[in-house]
Amino acid sequence: MRNTFLQSDSTTHLSVEVIWLLRSCQFGFGYSVTGGCRSLLYEVLFEITSMLSSSEVVVQPSLPIQILQIFVAMLVMDTWQYFVHRYMHQNKFLYKHVHSQHHRLVVPYAIGALYNHPLEGLLLDTFGGVFSFLISGMTARTAVIFFCFAVVKTVDDHCGLWLPGNIFHLLFQNNTAYHDIHHQLQGTKFNYSQPFFPIWDKLLGTYMPYNLVKRPEGGFEARPIKDFKDK
């Protein structure tokens, strides 16, 4: 049985196929531009850090140090993305012309994780990645592991599926259901945190609690807690 979220406040549920046909060209162009800028920026970054290194041989740190660096990078990424993401919702110009493109996905699906305006990709993902890399002090090899993990986590957060045994759902409170609430109409000003921890939402009062409700026709639905929604 397919376990999926369906927003209770959406009147129309577009299929993945329809969305893909309508947006594939725009998505492909936007992602190509963002990906090209990101690759160029990372290449320059690695070249600069290589020149600043006192040795031509990069020594990979011990495993505990790498784990610590990845954890620091996660905190940096979360901090950057929370405040930039929240500002994109609060600034009417940025929301209308930039971030609203991502929120055309009323019902999130996996590939929609990367469906956004090129400027948003640059500000949120690329700059966030640069700061995470520099502040954590990780090597290029560790950075590859971290960024691959971050992309997979982001895709899972948008997949719209609640599958048994999903390691992301077991380890992270900020997961598919958490971000699904943000894409609902009543949740657009809540649950900004992404992609790892809900720390900033809980500290700054933008956390919207929710329940997973089993649907009679199968699957689950993420619903904001009624007492909170009515406040």
Side-chain angles (χ1 to χ4, degrees):
M1 182 178 294
R2 186 170 183 262
N3 296 324
T4 184
F5 298 110
L6 295 176
Q7 278 78 356
S8 58
D9 57 0
S10 62
T11 56
T12 303
H13 298 287
L14 295 179
S15 67
V16 172
E17 292 79 10
V18 172
I19 296 176
W20 176 259
L21 288 173
L22 292 175
R23 303 299 180 188
S24 58
C25 293
Q26 185 178 4
F27 170 81
F29 173 75
Y31 185 67
S32 297
V33 172
T34 305
C37 293
R38 187 177 304 168
S39 299
L40 179 61
L41 185 58
Y42 287 163
E43 181 66 27
V44 172
L45 183 64
F46 287 139
E47 288 294 331
I48 293 175
T49 54
S50 298
M51 289 188 294
L52 294 177
S53 176
S54 58
S55 173
E56 294 183 359
V57 179
V58 178
V59 178
Q60 193 71 3
S62 63
L63 183 59
I65 295 298
Q66 292 183 67
I67 293 174
L68 177 61
Q69 290 174 333
I70 289 175
F71 180 70
V72 171
M74 291 166 73
L75 294 178
V76 173
M77 178 76 79
D78 270 6
T79 300
W80 175 263
Q81 293 215 357
Y82 174 85
F83 288 101
V84 175
H85 183 197
R86 182 173 178 175
Y87 184 68
M88 283 188 173
H89 275 269
Q90 294 175 334
N91 185 294
K92 293 181 179 180
F93 179 85
L94 285 177
Y95 186 82
K96 179 179 179 180
H97 297 284
V98 179
H99 190 55
S100 63
Q101 178 170 320
H102 181 69
H103 276 274
R104 291 171 184 169
L105 305 177
V106 180
V107 181
Y109 64 102
I111 199 172
L114 303 176
Y115 176 65
N116 52 34
H117 192 281
L119 180 60
E120 178 177 344
L122 183 67
L123 292 176
L124 270 178
D125 302 323
T126 305
F127 286 172
V130 168
F131 294 139
S132 299
F133 174 76
L134 292 176
I135 294 175
S136 66
M138 61 176 62
T139 64
R141 183 179 299 176
T142 306
V144 169
I145 297 172
F146 169 69
F147 290 130
C148 287
F149 176 72
V151 170
V152 173
K153 173 70 168 60
T154 302
V155 170
D156 184 78
D157 288 346
H158 288 80
C159 73
L161 297 174
W162 190 265
L163 301 174
N166 187 323
I167 190 171
F168 293 119
H169 300 164
L170 298 175
L171 297 179
F172 294 95
Q173 185 180 358
N174 189 341
N175 50 39
T176 309
Y178 187 95
H179 197 67
D180 189 84
I181 292 294
H182 177 69
H183 275 267
Q184 297 183 24
L185 295 180
Q186 66 267 40
T188 54
K189 294 184 179 180
F190 298 90
N191 293 14
Y192 296 114
S193 292
Q194 57 183 41
F196 300 111
F197 308 112
I199 298 172
W200 289 110
D201 275 322
K202 292 190 173 183
L203 286 176
L204 299 180
T206 54
Y207 170 65
M208 176 176 278
Y210 59 89
N211 288 321
L212 280 178
V213 180
K214 195 166 185 178
R215 304 171 68 245
E217 58 270 37
F220 296 89
E221 182 178 332
R223 292 181 184 174
I225 293 178
K226 188 176 186 301
D227 292 341
F228 181 87
K229 185 172 62 173
D230 292 341
K231 288 182 179 180

